[in-house]
Structure formats: C-alpha cells, structure tokens
Amino acid sequence: MGNRLSKIATRTGDAGMTGLGDGSRVEKDHLRICAMGDVDELNSEIGVLMTESIPEALLAELQALFLQVQHDLFDLGGELCIPNYTLLKPDHVAQLDVWLEKYNATLPPLTEFILPGGTRAAAQAHVCRTVCRRAERSIVRLGWEEPLYDSPRQYVNRLSDLLFVLSRVLNRAAGGQDILWKHEKKETK
C-alpha cells in the first residue's frame, strides 16, 4: 500500500470530481459514488452497533460476525470503486444465508409487523438495516446504468434481512420482546 494513504487532503476533489480505483474521474454525485457512500455509511453504522451493549451470551459470536461483515463491506466498496472488478463472491452471500437461517431458527414466527426499538443494540441494528436497504437501492440504481456483478446486490439484500433478524435476537437475549405494531382499524361511517 506504500504511502498512498499518507496524504489525506489532496484538494483534487475541490471542483466536485473524484477518482475511481481505475484512475478515471467522475462527479462526486455519480451513482457509483453514491452507492460507495451508502456502503461506507453502513459500515460505520455497524461499527457503532459493535460498541453497543450486547448480551454476554452473544457477544463474542456477534462481534466476530459484525467484524466479518465490515470486512465484506470494505471489499464491496472496493468492488464499487473499480468498474468491472469483483471482490465479493457468491460464498459471501452464502455465509449470510447460513447466519440468517441459524439466528432466525431461534425466533418465534412473526404475526405482526414490528417497530424498531427495544434495547439500544437492537435499535442500532434497525438503523443498520435501513441504511443497508438504502445501499441496496443505490446499488440497484447503479446496476440499471452500468454493468455490475450479482453478488454486491445480493449481499446487501441478504444483509438487511440478517440485520432485521439480529435486532430481534438482540432484544430477546436482553430479556425483551419484539415491539409489535398495533394497527387500529378505524371504522368508517
């Protein structure tokens, strides 16, 4: 990696352009840059989630899971940064499927929608889920304009599902329950 990260303020973006990993330059609001930014924000939000109080029974396991996800998201950002380049593989998506099945099997089936909340960790997992959905929308939008491999789109789709399930797991592990949405049906006259 050398010294390429030693100079942070290069001033090359002052005019609203930025460089991609292949050396090309695009506008800072280019769809590719927006997708990269959403993935970066998601990675940061997961970093916040890792600082929350996680029940001891799940701490080591979830810390390892979240750290792997952060590495995967960094690879995803790298893949988005270099057109026609791939870093995320189907195995990355398959690992999310394994975790999703494992943790979802510990939960009772949902009969109602749930509201974000409960413990701080569960609420932060919901924040991560919503940022992940935004990243997914950005990646899909970019994919309509430029060719992308399937794994990035599939990865964020599956990750948002996993974050939803983990928010439920975190609430239950802390002794809480899902917060159910209570829809009041209004009678019409």
Side-chain angles (χ1 to χ4, degrees):
M1 187 166 293
N3 292 325
R4 72 182 193 154
L5 297 179
S6 61
K7 188 172 183 183
I8 302 302
T10 63
R11 294 176 178 75
T12 59
D14 288 352
M17 302 290 286
T18 192
L20 294 177
D22 65 356
S24 63
R25 296 197 59 79
V26 296
E27 299 85 4
K28 285 194 173 193
D29 63 351
H30 186 279
L31 292 176
R32 187 170 291 278
I33 302 304
C34 292
M36 289 167 50
D38 289 342
V39 169
D40 187 33
E41 182 181 351
L42 171 59
N43 208 342
S44 296
E45 290 288 358
I46 289 174
V48 173
L49 175 54
M50 292 171 71
T51 69
E52 293 294 345
S53 178
I54 294 175
E56 191 63 39
L58 291 172
L59 182 61
E61 188 176 335
L62 289 187
Q63 288 288 342
L65 183 156
F66 292 137
L67 186 60
Q68 182 57 55
V69 166
Q70 283 193 303
H71 282 280
D72 293 349
L73 290 173
F74 204 86
D75 285 345
L76 173 53
E79 183 167 333
L80 292 170
C81 182
I82 305 171
N84 301 312
Y85 188 67
T86 183
L87 284 168
L88 278 186
K89 308 287 186 226
D91 291 350
H92 292 95
V93 178
Q95 179 59 65
L96 294 178
D97 284 331
V98 168
W99 287 329
L100 189 55
E101 186 175 330
K102 172 186 175 179
Y103 290 107
N104 198 43
T106 68
L107 298 170
L110 281 174
T111 57
E112 294 289 339
F113 290 107
I114 65 169
L115 300 176
T119 66
R120 282 185 55 92
Q124 180 61 28
H126 279 291
V127 170
C128 292
R129 173 186 57 81
T130 61
V131 174
C132 190
R133 286 288 187 204
R134 180 164 22 97
E136 180 184 10
R137 291 189 301 272
S138 293
I139 290 168
V140 166
R141 190 175 308 120
L142 174 61
W144 295 133
E145 300 295 323
E146 297 182 20
L148 290 178
Y149 293 98
D150 291 336
S151 291
R153 184 185 63 255
Q154 293 166 348
Y155 187 89
V156 290
N157 179 271
R158 215 71 93 254
L159 179 57
S160 63
D161 293 339
L162 178 61
L163 289 164
F164 175 80
V165 166
L166 290 177
S167 70
R168 297 184 67 207
V169 166
L170 286 165
N171 269 338
R172 289 193 168 285
Q177 301 259 336
D178 295 320
I179 303 170
L180 299 179
W181 173 57
K182 294 181 180 157
H183 176 68
E184 294 183 40
K185 293 185 169 106
K186 307 265 184 196
E187 291 190 32
T188 56
K189 294 182 182 186

